Every structure is written in structure tokens, then in C-alpha cells.
Amino acid sequence: MKGNEMKENTAKENITREGNAAQDYVLEITGLDYYIDDVQILKNINLKIMHGEFVGIIGPNGAGKTTLLKCINGINTPGGLVKIKNRDIGKLNEKQVAREVALMSQNTAITFPFPSIDVVLTGRYPYLGFARGESMEDYNVARKYMRYTDTLQFENREITKVSGGERQRILFAKLLTQETDLVLLDEPASNLDIAHVEQIFTYCRELCCAGKTVIAAMHDLKTASKYCPRLILLKDGEIIADGATGEVLTSENLSKAYGVNALVYRNRITGLLDVYIPGFEMRKEKKRIHIIGGGGSASGVIRQLFEMGFDISIGVLTHGDSDSACAEVFGIKRVIDKPFSGISDEAFEENVKYIKESELTILCNMPFGILNLRNLDAAAHASNLAIIEDDSPETRDFTGGEALEIYNELKRKAVVTTFARLHEVIQ
Amino acid sequence: MKEKGKVVLVMLVLLFLATVVSTGFGAVSVPFLDTVKIILKNWGLLNISDFKEGWESIIFYVRFPRVVTTILVGAALGTSGAVMQGVFRNPMADPGVLGVSSGASLGAVLAICLGLPAKGVIFMPLFAAAGALTASFLVFILAARKGKIPVMNMILSGMAISMFFGSVTTGILSFISSDQVRQFLFWTMGSLNGRVWQDVKISFIPILLCIFILFLFSRDLNIMLLGEEEAQSVGLSPSKTRRRILVFSSILTATAVSISGTISFVGLMVPHIIRLLIGPDNRVLIPASTLGGAIFLLLCDLLGRTIVSPAEINVGIITSFLGAPYFLFLLNKTRKEGAVL
């Protein structure tokens, strides 16, 4: 199916295909500028979107996401050229545009108690002649989409008397009733709980599979990365990145757009891109802290210490360990060794060097086996040692008692705490 | 929708009854059946002439033209009120927003001051209509920004024009004779006394035509109620539609005011009550307000000419008198229920 095949395309492929026939693009924007009074809201937007794509528009508040969507469906009249299916929308009348592109606005406030079916039927307006009533056919179309969004049972209920999630689904049915090839959504998930968010985006994905094109302005980057194969990043009315989600959603791009220190990483459990914005405390003296961890026990500690603004190092970790991925994302000093081969002398020495440099060494709530036993030996070099003990050490000893013996020895001159109370020890 | 269609049917029946009662009732009461017979006879539909002496002329040449004028004026005010409330998405809007009343008043006072009413019955309505249309035209010009008419601009420019025209009218009043002032005051109080077939002839084509055209916009008005951007998203241009509706609404109100003088509250109250009863769907609300306006004004006029018979109270005074308790009722209702109007 054409739609499916197109959906797999990344923006890169779009560029290589640029020489192809223009009708491949459902939307082409060239040199678009938009002003409100004398303030330039959008600057030189150039965009090509193919049939069946699901494109997310991301960017900080005030970047121009909503304004751009309204330029595409003709509510705003921008400078430059907006072509839908190779037709300049500036030259089409309102109803012609509404047969090509539909928009679901953010937080539509409907205060008049119309029955839901009447609201959905307004989606048929572009197909009706002046002062013509809806035909049975129009009712069938409206009911079909209400059934699809599971709202047919509210057909005769007033739109003011349904819940937020139900209302959003009714408005989505209205959007579909317009039967356009291009569908625009402005923050469709705002005010929805997680289940309804998933539902709305699942609908969108299905639309794309059916060959329609969806462009959605979104503020939740995680949802955007999960559903949209292509993202467009706007900042101050300009496109600063456009391409496959993995290429757009990078720490550099996000830091540039949002002006915060954003960390993008792949969530190990879901395999999806995730974004983390650390809170940041500035400290005058940067206390040196070393962490001994592994197997995921240190990730939370790294984040916490990073946010507190300490100069941190970690070791010895192995390649592929989730803690070493975490250390990499946060960009801290780390000692990394080959996996499953025991700690080498070089790694051990480096680890001890870091420990000796540090004012505090933290031993995480980690499992002990033959291969990381030397990390415990290294801990003995610490001037100040804090041990995080969330689970009893007996359950974490896989060496048959050897590790436990060293651990108990270390405990004698260390401060023992839990992860939840770690901050007390550090202060 | 079908149930709501019944509302319109019931109101048609009520209008018919109100018409018959209004025509038959008065200083000389004529039985209702005879009333209907006299009207049908004079329309050439019945061939009998055994009525009591004088009945025929009282019914067909005195009361019936007045009743028909009342129906036209009431229908015009009800329709244009419903439409205005839809256009402005505000249940408290009324045709006065267009500056129509102030313009009509200025036109009327000019006609009086030129001594025209004595020269022909056509001059007062003509001047009033011209004044009303001039006022609303100016309101449009002032409110327009880049071809669009923002609602807020419309309200502000409507107020500005109303005040300006009002001050000119008052200014002229202070220079004319007290006789002329009384003539003007009588006109502003809104009266349907002494309306003849001539009044019906000049007004019924513009009124019926505008009402019919405004009916055609009822779906568009429904969509506009959902919000400007919603409307644009489904291919309806709110500014174009608003402009068209306001033009027809101005002509409609101007025509009504020109034959009856200013009659307040009908355009506000009737659609408002009907909305409370049957909901906001303009496809029913507008026709129901048309019929409701006619019925309401007929009853007010009937009241005005019977309670102090043989003297008369102007219908405009009756409607204003009923308007006051209605607002108190609304105030009480919102206080109790915290409901939105």
C-alpha cells in the first residue's frame, strides 16, 4: 500500500527524491513569512511533506507552531507560497481549502449546548451548497467516524455535557468527517490523560497508514518521538531542524531550541528516545565525588549528583552496562573496561586514582560477583566512604561470601544510607 | 430536529390565533368567525356580505392593516435580534448595536423639522429608514479593519455612532417648536396606531425578503457559534458571513423602525426566551424568534389599545414596561443557579 511505504520514508529520502514529480508532495511550503503587525512570527519556512507522513512540529512556546498550522489551512494569510497537492491555497476559496485540509485547534471552547452529532456534522460544511441541509449521506459519514472514535453513543448528548476525553474524540470525529487528505492537529493531547493521549495518536497513526498525512504541533517530546517518524523543530519562527526523529531529537538541537541543558537518550526498557532536562545547581567549590556502581545501581546517583553540580567520576564499569550509558549521556569521567572479563590492572589503577582524588566515594547498591570484586578492593582506598544499602548485602553477594566479608569490613568505617536519603550524607 | 420543527408549527398556530383575536377584539368587538370571514371576503376568497354595518370597514381598513403591520414589525425585530445574538455570540446583543435606532430617530426628527409629515405619510418612514441605514453604514465603515469586522470594533463603533446621532437629535429638538417635539416623542415611543395598507405595502417586501435571506444563514450562524477558527477550519469565512448578515439585518431593522418608531426589548427578549426554551440551534431559533416576535408584539399592541380603552398606550411603552421585570427575572435566575444567560 502506498501509504505504508511512504510512511517509512525519512526526510533524508525525501530530499533525494526531490527531483520526482511534484504530486508526490501533499504539502509544499516555499519562502513563507508571516507577520502580526510589525512582528515577524515565521521566517522563511520551506517545507515539503509527502502523502502518508506523520510529522510532528516541536519547539518552545511561542516558536510559531500554531501560527504555522494556521498558515497551512488558510486561517492566516502568509507571504510566500503554500501549495496543497500542487495547488496554491491562496487561489482557492474557503470551502475548497476546507476540502483539502482540516485543523483541530487547541482547547476549542464550545460553550453552546449543541448535540454532538451536530458538531460532527459541521465537518460536512465544505461539501454543502449555500443554505443546503445535510443529506442522509452526510449523516452516514458523520456516524461512521463517531463509531470509529467510539463516540456514537453520545450522538444526541450535548457537547457541553461530555468529559474532556470524550469531547476531544468527538472533535476528532468532526475532523475526520471533513475527509481531507491533510490533517493538522494543534496540541491534540493537551488536557488529556495518558490513555487518551495514546488513543489520539494511535488514530493518527492509522490515518497515515490509510494514506492520509498528519501534521501535529506537539509539546511532549517523548510522545513526538514515539509516534512521529519525522520531526520539525521550530525556534523563533524558524525551522532549525527537519528530518528523521533521531536526527532532530539530539541534545544539541534541543539545547539550542529550548535554551536548557537537555539530555537525549534511548530508554533501555522501551527502546524509545527520551529526553531529560536536569535541574542545575551552581556551586562555588566543586566537590569531587567518585561513584562505584554497575548494573544500573548508579544511574540515579549520577543524575542526583550531576544536578547538585558536583564534579563526579565513576568506575569501573563495563561496556554495555546501563550505568556506563548513563555516565556517557551525562558526560562524566568514567573508567570503562571490557565486559565479562574481570577488571584489568590498568582499570583498577585508574579507579583507585579517581578514588584518591575524591573527597567522597559512594558505593552503590550493586550486585557483587567474581568479575567486579576488585571494585570493593578499590573502595578501601577511599578517604570518606558512603554506602548505599537499599537491599540487604546478603542478597547481592554472588561470590559465596568473599564479597560480603570485604563489604562488612568497609561498612565499619563508612556512612551507611539509602538512596532516598543520599542527599543528607552529601550535604 | 423533528421535535423542534413542531415548535415552529405550534407557533404558527399561535400566531394565527393571536391575529384573529387581535383583529376581532377592541372598542367594537367582532366575533372571531366573522372576523375571518370579513378578511377572506375582502381577499376575494369568500362571497358573502351579510355583516353588521361598519364591521367590514373597522376590521379590514382599520384593524387588520394595523395587525399586519404589527406582525411584520414584530417578525422583523424578533428575527434580527436572534441573528444579532448569533453573530455577536452574545445573548444580550440586539439590533440597537447597529446604531439603527439612533439613525432612525435622527431621520425622523429631520423630517418633522422640515414639516414633511404633513405633506405625506411616506416621508417619516422614508427619512427614518434613510437615517437608520446611514447610521449602520457608518458603523460598518468605522468597524472595518482590512476587510474584516471584529466584534469588539463593531460594538464600540455602534456606541460611538449612537451617541453622536443621539446628540445631534437632541440638539435639533432644542431648536424646534414644542408641537414638533411632541410629534417626535410620540414617534420614538413606538406606535402602531393608525397604520394603513400603505404602510404594509411599503414594508412587506423588504421585511419578508430579508427574513427569508437571514433564514438561509442559520446553519452558518450555528457554525460561527462554535468559534471563529472552527468556522474557518470547515471553510466558512466568519467576516464575510458576518458582513452579509449584518447588512440584511440592518435593512430589516431599519424598515421595521421606519414604520413603527423605536420599539425596544422585542429584539432582545423574544430570542432570549426562545433560546432558553428550545436551545441555541439557529435553524429553529431564528424562525421561532420571527414568529415569537410577531406574536409578542401583537399581544402587546392588543394590551396597549384595550386596557385604557378608548385611549391607547403606545406599544413601545408596553414592551419596555415588560422588559424591566424580565431582566429582574434573569438576574434572579443567575443569582440562584449561577447559570449563564
Side-chain angles (χ1 to χ4, degrees), chain A residues 124 136-146 177 179:
Chain A
R124 299 309 293 168
M136 215 48 229
E137 184 56 34
D138 294 316
Y139 271 89
N140 289 340
V141 173
R143 292 210 173 95
K144 180 173 90 184
Y145 292 112
M146 288 189 88
T177 302
E179 299 204 304

Side-chain angles (χ1 to χ4, degrees), chain A residues 392-410:
Chain A
S392 113
E394 284 80 4
T395 61
R396 294 187 270 126
D397 176 21
F398 300 97
T399 60
E402 195 181 343
L404 198 60
E405 205 172 300
I406 311 172
Y407 183 87
N408 285 333
E409 187 66 29
L410 288 173

